[in-house]
Amino acid sequence: SLATFSLRGERLRRRVERTERVAMSFMDAREHGSKIGGAGVASAQHEAIDRRERLRRLALETIDLAKDPYFMRNHLGSYECKLCLTIHGNEGNYLAHTQGKRHQQNLAKRAAREAAENPSALPAAKKARPAPRKTVKIGRPGYRVTKQFDHDTRQRSLLFQVDYPEIEDGCKPRHRFMSSYEQKVEAWDKKYQYVMFAAEPYEVISFKVPNAEVDKRGDDKYFSHWEPGKKVYTLQVYFKNGPAPSRADGAGPVGGGTGGYAVLASNLPPPPPPGALPPQFAPPPV
């Protein structure tokens, strides 16, 4: 019948169309180098769109707009780039612009112009950093530590005397206080701090002292002195009055009769026998 003939013709037409589509897909895949049934290779326009989107997401995670000197929001609610004089609808669009070629070129031009106008102001990253000295260490210096007590102010103090007989010519010893959290030799303990002494070509030595506030109100309490003739570096430290640290086992303050201000030298050899001390540096009577 006519209806049956029309139905067969429609089926034949659809089969031919499917065959043509498969053939065209195979030809496109063979021409562009992709698999049959795949989406094909993205065009240059789609690659640029995908690149801008990836740069926008990366900028959203790493860039803080509050610190961008060229970012500005106008009265219309849109965003402007004061360097390139461009307008953007949202923050993501602005961040994608900052990663683009135009913005980067303008940044380079401005940096070149500022360098030409003020050649003395070099960036901090380009300044030459002094190379660390590489000297052969000859060992640890000798030292003497005296615990003192002032009966008038009821303060306890420490007197450090470090011998540097082979110190380099023109070199002066230095000292500084270091927190327990700065060192990596012992376990952290907020009850203590370290006093470090350094001089070339000797190794750096440190002493573990209570983490009490140092009294610097007078020159007779906190001072350091270097004697070039005897090669002895002297440091006196007074601690402000406060509760003395106790032992972990509850047996009382560490350091015996000195009330807790014992000096522990970490990984240091035993000190040399003490020599004759000046009268003003003599330890208090027991």
Side-chain angles (χ1 to χ4, degrees):
S1 62
L2 183 60
T4 304
F5 180 78
S6 300
L7 182 58
R8 291 179 178 178
E10 182 66 21
R11 291 177 179 175
L12 180 61
R13 185 181 63 81
R14 292 178 180 178
R15 185 178 302 174
V16 172
E17 290 179 355
R18 284 198 301 268
T19 304
E20 291 178 353
R21 284 198 300 268
V22 172
M24 292 177 63
S25 176
F26 175 77
M27 293 294 293
D28 293 341
R30 185 176 62 180
E31 180 180 355
H32 296 286
S34 61
K35 295 182 179 180
I36 301 176
V41 179
S43 62
Q45 181 180 4
H46 288 86
E47 289 181 354
I49 294 174
D50 181 66
R51 177 177 174 275
R52 285 196 298 268
E53 179 64 20
R54 285 188 285 107
L55 291 176
R56 184 186 69 84
R57 292 180 180 179
L58 179 62
L60 283 173
E61 296 177 358
T62 58
I63 298 179
D64 187 8
L65 290 178
K67 299 179 181 179
D68 191 344
Y70 307 114
F71 176 74
M72 183 185 69
R73 184 172 183 177
N74 57 22
H75 64 285
L76 299 177
S78 56
Y79 304 95
E80 297 183 10
C81 177
K82 294 189 290 185
L83 178 64
C84 305
L85 303 179
T86 55
I87 300 177
H88 308 276
N90 50 58
E91 296 180 358
N93 187 276
Y94 171 79
L95 290 173
H97 161 73
T98 59
Q99 305 301 313
K101 181 178 180 180
R102 178 179 180 182
H103 190 83
Q104 297 298 326
Q105 286 181 346
N106 289 336
L107 285 176
K109 291 179 181 179
R110 170 159 290 194
R113 183 171 66 251
E114 291 178 355
E117 294 175 355
N118 191 7
S120 61
L122 296 176
K126 296 184 179 180
K127 290 184 178 179
R129 299 181 60 183
R133 293 187 57 185
K134 296 182 180 180
T135 57
V136 179
K137 303 298 182 180
I138 62 175
R140 299 189 179 106
Y143 61 89
R144 293 176 294 276
V145 180
T146 306
K147 292 176 284 187
Q148 305 174 132
F149 180 75
D150 192 337
H151 294 276
D152 296 333
T153 60
R154 312 297 297 177
Q155 287 180 286
R156 305 184 187 276
S157 62
L158 293 172
L159 177 68
F160 301 92
Q161 292 175 302
V162 187
D163 299 321
Y164 292 105
E166 302 294 334
I167 191 172
E168 292 184 356
D169 296 336
C171 180
K172 182 179 178 181
R174 305 180 306 275
H175 77 277
R176 81 174 185 95
F177 290 86
M178 181 178 67
S179 171
S180 175
Y181 300 100
E182 295 183 54
Q183 55 87 28
K184 298 180 181 179
V185 178
E186 300 181 348
W188 296 341
D189 191 348
K190 64 180 180 180
K191 297 180 181 179
Y192 299 97
Q193 59 183 334
Y194 296 84
V195 184
M196 304 176 61
F197 295 87
E200 297 292 346
Y202 290 91
E203 296 180 5
V204 179
I205 61 174
S206 64
F207 299 89
K208 189 176 181 180
V209 300
N211 190 17
E213 186 177 357
V214 178
D215 192 354
K216 300 181 180 180
R217 290 176 292 183
D219 296 337
D220 58 336
K221 294 185 177 181
Y222 178 77
F223 68 89
S224 61
H225 177 66
W226 167 241
E227 299 182 17
K230 297 182 179 180
K231 308 291 185 178
V232 177
Y233 184 71
T234 304
L235 172 67
Q236 180 173 268
V237 178
Y238 265 71
F239 298 97
K240 292 187 177 181
N241 295 327
S246 301
R247 296 179 184 268
D249 55 2
V254 298
T258 59
Y261 290 94
V263 176
L264 304 178
S266 175
N267 300 326
L268 292 179
L277 297 176
Q280 66 270 23
F281 296 148
V286 180

